[in-house]
Amino acid sequence: QKEVEQNSGPLSVPEGAIASLNCTYSDRGSQSFFWYRQYSGKSPELIMSIYSNGDKEDGRFTAQLNKASQYVSLLIRDSQPSDSATYLCAVNTNTDKLIFGTGTRLQVFP
Amino acid sequence: NAGVTQTPKFQVLKTGQSMTLQCAQDMNHNSMYWYRQDPGMGLRLIYYSASEGTTDKGEVPNGYNVSRLNKREFSLRLESAAPSQTSVYFCASRGSGRGDTQYFGPGTRLTVL
């Protein structure tokens, strides 16, 4: 079992819809959780971080964390074509390293 | 404030050649990292440095060496490049707080012929 798992996609949603991206992790000791967005040919950029169970909202983005189920998700409301990218889930297990999933490719079509 | 910088942006090598990828950060971060990214493989950690003077192997260290020259700079060296090392290489840095995340450089696209 991979330490951080994501569906590779592509996830296709129409413009204006809600995109839901999911991530599961194996280490129950994980402390911090991050979502990165990576456009083709570019480096990953942080869009959300979450540390406690529940929801965290930032603009059109909502991160959700459920430590009991070892599950973290990212919701993108009112999806735009500019949101089309690969979304990487990353988990910190109280070490110096982040463990990354392989990413989910999101396509938002007009 | 440049964040994390990497040089070069692009490089083509012949098999057996050597080169050093340079990385520098101006955020006063303790930890620095080198990743490679290949299609379908995600980000794989090559080496990291938790603080100046220390380095540790990551998931795929074979064929690479690193130097943490000072707090700002962390270089990655390929002593004898192989076609399997064709990849995009990212450097990242991270602060020391529990929730501090990693900030990535723009990447180096390396092709080994």
Side-chain angles (χ1 to χ4, degrees):
Chain A
Q1 181 188 7
K2 293 181 182 176
E3 293 183 75
V4 178
E5 296 207 45
Q6 297 180 253
N7 188 321
S8 62
L11 173 65
S12 293
V13 300
E15 184 174 357
I18 295 175
S20 178
L21 303 159
N22 304 314
C23 172
T24 58
Y25 59 94
S26 60
D27 189 334
R28 286 194 171 275
S30 300
Q31 299 283 325
S32 313
F33 307 85
F34 306 92
W35 283 100
Y36 286 80
R37 178 177 61 200
Q38 186 175 24
Y39 292 114
S40 181
K42 301 295 185 182
S43 59
E45 59 175 327
L46 179 71
I47 53 172
M48 289 289 287
S49 59
I50 187 166
Y51 311 110
S52 304
N53 279 331
D55 295 359
K56 179 182 177 183
E57 187 174 318
D58 184 1
R60 295 186 298 111
F61 298 98
T62 299
Q64 299 175 317
L65 175 61
N66 184 326
K67 290 186 177 180
S69 299
Q70 296 174 244
Y71 178 93
V72 59
S73 64
L74 179 70
L75 301 178
I76 307 174
R77 290 181 300 281
D78 188 23
S79 295
Q80 301 296 309
S82 59
D83 294 324
S84 297
T86 296
Y87 289 80
L88 302 170
C89 173
V91 175
N92 177 268
T93 58
N94 208 29
T95 67
D96 291 311
K97 297 182 288 185
L98 290 185
I99 309 298
F100 285 86
T102 53
T104 298
R105 188 157 62 95
L106 173 66
Q107 295 177 334
V108 182
F109 55 92
Chain B
N1 188 338
V4 181
T5 57
Q6 292 182 236
T7 55
K9 286 187 168 54
F10 301 92
Q11 185 70 50
V12 179
L13 295 177
K14 294 181 180 178
T15 297
Q17 288 185 316
S18 62
M19 78 160 295
T20 300
L21 282 65
Q22 306 286 354
C23 175
Q25 52 92 10
D26 62 3
M27 295 176 282
N28 201 35
H29 285 167
N30 288 321
S31 301
M32 297 186 73
Y33 308 83
W34 277 106
Y35 293 90
R36 61 178 288 173
Q37 188 174 41
D38 304 290
M41 301 293 289
L43 286 163
R44 292 187 291 172
L45 183 64
I46 304 171
Y47 271 94
Y48 69 103
S49 171
S51 62
E52 186 179 352
T54 67
T55 61
D56 286 286
K57 294 178 181 179
E59 183 184 354
V60 288
N62 291 343
Y64 305 95
N65 286 301
V66 290
S67 295
R68 184 73 182 268
L69 305 170
N70 48 55
K71 192 170 185 178
R72 289 188 64 248
E73 299 172 289
F74 188 38
S75 62
L76 178 72
R77 183 161 177 83
L78 286 70
E79 291 291 351
S80 179
S84 61
Q85 294 178 304
T86 293
S87 188
V88 180
Y89 291 84
F90 290 106
C91 177
S93 71
R94 179 169 179 249
S96 55
R98 175 182 76 96
D100 278 351
T101 190
Q102 289 182 1
Y103 296 90
F104 286 85
T108 295
R109 290 187 175 275
L110 175 66
T111 301
V112 183
L113 302 175

